[in-house]
Amino acid sequence: MIPVQGFEGQGVAVLGLGRSGLSAARALREGGAQVVVWDDNPKARDKAEAEGFAVRDLTRSEAVEDLACLVVSPGIPHLYPTPNPVIAAALDAGVPVDNDIGLFFRSLGAGWDQFDRAPRVVAITGSNGKSTTSALIHHVLEASGRDAQLAGNIGRGVLDIDPPGDGGIVVLELSSYQTDLARALTPDVAVWTNLSPDHLDRHAGFGGYFAAKRRLFAEGGPDRAVIGVDEVEGRFLAGQMSEGRSDDRVIRVSSGRKLSGPGWHVFARKGFLAEWRKGRQVASIDMRDIPGLPGAHNHQNACAAYAACRALGLGPRDIESGLRSFGGLPHRSQRIAEAGGVSYVNDSKATNVDSALKALQAFGKIRWICGGLMKEGGLEALKPALENVIKAYVIGREAEGFALQLPGVDAEICTTMERAVAHAVADAQPGEVVLLAPAAASFDQYDSFEKRGDDFAERVTEELAKR
């Protein structure tokens, strides 16, 4: 646990008692704060009370006015579309509002004067690929013998980790919800994977979404910034962080095009990762036979992870070894079965159009299971990859409307995962891929994308067992 510093003897409230909220409450108490908690869910309140926390109804008038800080869980709106009433009351009362990420950076450095090598933090954000990139960095570090912990939006709660030891490295995946509110953001290495429209209601549009993620770089000024430059926002951010073309504090990353100039570049083209520095190639890795990182989108993740590990001092061959031993993450281009020459791939994490596009571009001859709660913008952006689709099997309550947005694609309205998998397995021929890449949220039928992916895997196993 990372005890929270700076609130000893002061009243601090925690709003929202999920994983991050309870973790923050424990760490605040460990640091000497007088903690009160609240959640609209009675079961969550009961759980916190059983751990000895004082429950205070923060929705009551003047309930926040004696607080030194209000700590908010990431799922609770603090600005758009409208602030939660408790947060609005705190803002009116002049009470600082923070989250567990801000508390982590505020508290992490206590006692580091005893170390020969100070611990370091790598923080990763972006629209797509940040979980894979975070897990990949962590895996490469551990495979190289480094002391590393994975936390944040993946792995453990950020305040639940052990205080890092001499030379230890903390790898954090951070969502826009987390970067938007954190009052302190001071990573040693900050990584930007890419940017595409998502969570627009929470950030009042694409500009607000960009601004929320940009805070990771603008607030603390990392020693190194690894920035994907395949979108204009990434190129803009890289330009803002750099003092000039040869400034190697910024490592520019791309998938699909060669980067040139005197700076530090890592890019992937035609299945090969290349590192260039000061106008010269210094390393190259053949990515084509690495099973845990299929497709151009995973090559982009590998470039970002490679660059971050290089910024931490690892050598190219050590990083390559780690890339080759990486098994991939569940629900992200996860190959779950092979039978009769057909591959079955679970990419349930492809909850938006951009991530689904990358999944469709990673494979050929696809029998595509798709559908769910569509997000803003429709499916037009999928058009470049639809030529890879032999047939679509559409699930979800909006299946008919989803299918209408796939002109020229043979689409079958299946509604349920059970029916979609049964028909796709029956139709599939050797050399084809049955791919779950929904391009939509899961909440019309499932509690999470993980539950959707698990259902797909279970249905595939059942269908293959019948044959």
Side-chain angles (χ1 to χ4, degrees):
M1 179 182 293
I2 306 291
V4 174
Q5 305 297 311
F7 294 109
E8 186 174 357
Q10 300 181 68
V12 179
V14 176
L15 176 64
L17 297 173
R19 185 189 68 159
S20 68
L22 268 178
S23 170
R26 297 180 189 119
L28 282 159
R29 181 169 62 186
E30 186 71 14
Q34 302 298 311
V35 183
V36 297
V37 300
W38 179 254
D39 192 295
D40 291 338
N41 185 335
K43 291 183 178 179
R45 298 197 298 266
D46 291 344
K47 182 179 179 180
E49 201 164 24
E51 290 195 30
F53 290 106
V55 173
R56 179 192 293 187
D57 184 354
L58 298 177
T59 65
R60 292 186 295 106
S61 176
E62 302 180 354
V64 300
E65 292 187 357
D66 63 338
L67 299 176
C69 185
L70 174 66
V71 178
V72 179
S73 294
I76 300 174
H78 56 272
L79 187 57
Y80 303 114
T82 55
N84 177 279
V86 176
I87 297 175
L91 296 175
D92 286 343
V95 174
V97 180
D98 207 346
N99 61 14
D100 62 329
I101 304 301
L103 297 180
F104 168 82
F105 280 111
R106 172 190 181 115
S107 307
L108 184 62
W112 280 10
D113 54 352
Q114 65 183 310
F115 294 140
D116 293 328
R117 296 170 301 155
R120 286 181 286 179
V121 178
V122 184
I124 300 94
T125 196
S127 296
N128 298 306
K130 57 184 179 293
S131 293
T132 297
T133 301
S134 302
L136 186 53
I137 293 169
H138 178 252
H139 173 81
V140 171
L141 290 169
E142 286 203 322
S144 299
R146 302 296 182 94
D147 176 17
Q149 299 182 76
L150 180 63
N153 208 39
I154 186 176
R156 300 164 69 184
V158 68
L159 292 168
D160 279 338
I161 68 171
D162 300 323
D166 191 277
I169 300 170
V170 179
V171 182
L172 299 183
E173 179 196 339
L174 299 181
S175 72
S176 60
Y177 293 1
Q178 293 168 312
T179 58
D180 197 20
L181 188 59
R183 293 174 64 87
L185 286 167
T186 54
D188 298 279
V189 179
V191 180
W192 174 284
T193 59
N194 50 58
L195 196 73
S196 61
D198 208 358
H199 308 303
L200 300 188
D201 59 335
R202 178 67 178 263
H203 299 294
F206 195 44
Y209 179 53
F210 172 47
K213 290 188 173 293
R214 179 184 172 277
R215 291 190 74 245
L216 179 62
F217 299 79
E219 292 299 310
D223 295 334
R224 295 268 191 222
V226 176
I227 302 176
V229 294
D230 288 335
E231 297 89 28
V232 66
E233 292 83 8
R235 294 191 290 275
F236 178 82
L237 180 61
Q240 285 196 313
M241 298 298 295
S242 175
E243 294 295 331
R245 296 183 68 217
S246 61
D247 185 356
D248 66 1
R249 293 174 303 170
V250 176
I251 308 176
R252 290 171 170 82
V253 167
S254 177
S255 176
R257 66 191 183 98
K258 180 179 179 179
L259 301 177
S260 61
W264 197 349
H265 309 297
V266 179
F267 57 87
R269 289 183 71 211
K270 300 180 180 179
F272 286 84
L273 181 154
E275 178 188 1
W276 284 65
R277 198 166 183 180
K278 298 180 180 178
R280 296 175 53 251
Q281 181 172 316
V282 296
S284 177
I285 298 173
D286 185 350
M287 301 285 297
R288 294 173 298 177
D289 61 346
I290 299 181
L293 296 166
H297 62 304
N298 274 311
H299 293 176
Q300 182 186 55
N301 299 335
C303 287
Y306 176 97
C309 290
R310 289 288 280 144
L312 291 167
L314 272 66
R317 298 286 75 85
D318 286 337
I319 299 173
E320 179 177 1
S321 178
L323 296 180
R324 292 194 177 279
S325 62
F326 181 64
L329 287 181
H331 313 295
R332 297 159 176 89
S333 295
Q334 178 191 15
R335 199 176 298 266
I336 59 171
E338 299 235 8
V342 179
S343 297
Y344 296 86
V345 177
N346 168 20
D347 204 333
S348 185
K349 183 62 171 65
T351 58
N352 58 40
V353 168
D354 186 66
S355 54
L357 173 65
K358 289 178 170 61
L360 291 173
Q361 290 173 329
F363 304 99
K365 298 182 179 179
I366 298 168
R367 295 195 177 271
W368 178 33
I369 298 177
C370 55
L373 282 178
M374 284 191 293
K375 297 185 178 181
E376 292 181 33
L379 305 177
E380 179 67 23
L382 291 172
K383 190 174 181 180
L386 294 181
E387 61 184 18
N388 295 342
V389 176
I390 300 168
K391 184 175 180 178
Y393 304 80
V394 189
I395 64 173
R397 296 175 188 171
E398 301 175 350
E400 291 187 11
F402 195 101
L404 288 173
Q405 294 199 42
L406 301 173
V409 175
D410 181 11
E412 179 182 344
I413 308 300
C414 295
T415 308
T416 67
M417 185 70 76
E418 181 180 15
R419 181 181 176 89
V421 170
H423 288 203
V425 171
D427 294 344
Q429 301 296 314
E432 296 178 354
V433 176
V434 175
L435 171 67
L436 172 66
S442 60
F443 302 120
D444 58 334
Q445 293 181 307
Y446 301 93
D447 292 338
S448 65
F449 72 82
E450 292 95 340
K451 293 288 181 62
R452 178 172 59 189
D454 290 343
D455 191 23
F456 170 73
E458 290 171 10
R459 301 295 181 185
V460 168
T461 301
E462 290 172 2
E463 286 299 321
L464 294 179
K466 297 176 184 177
R467 297 174 186 276

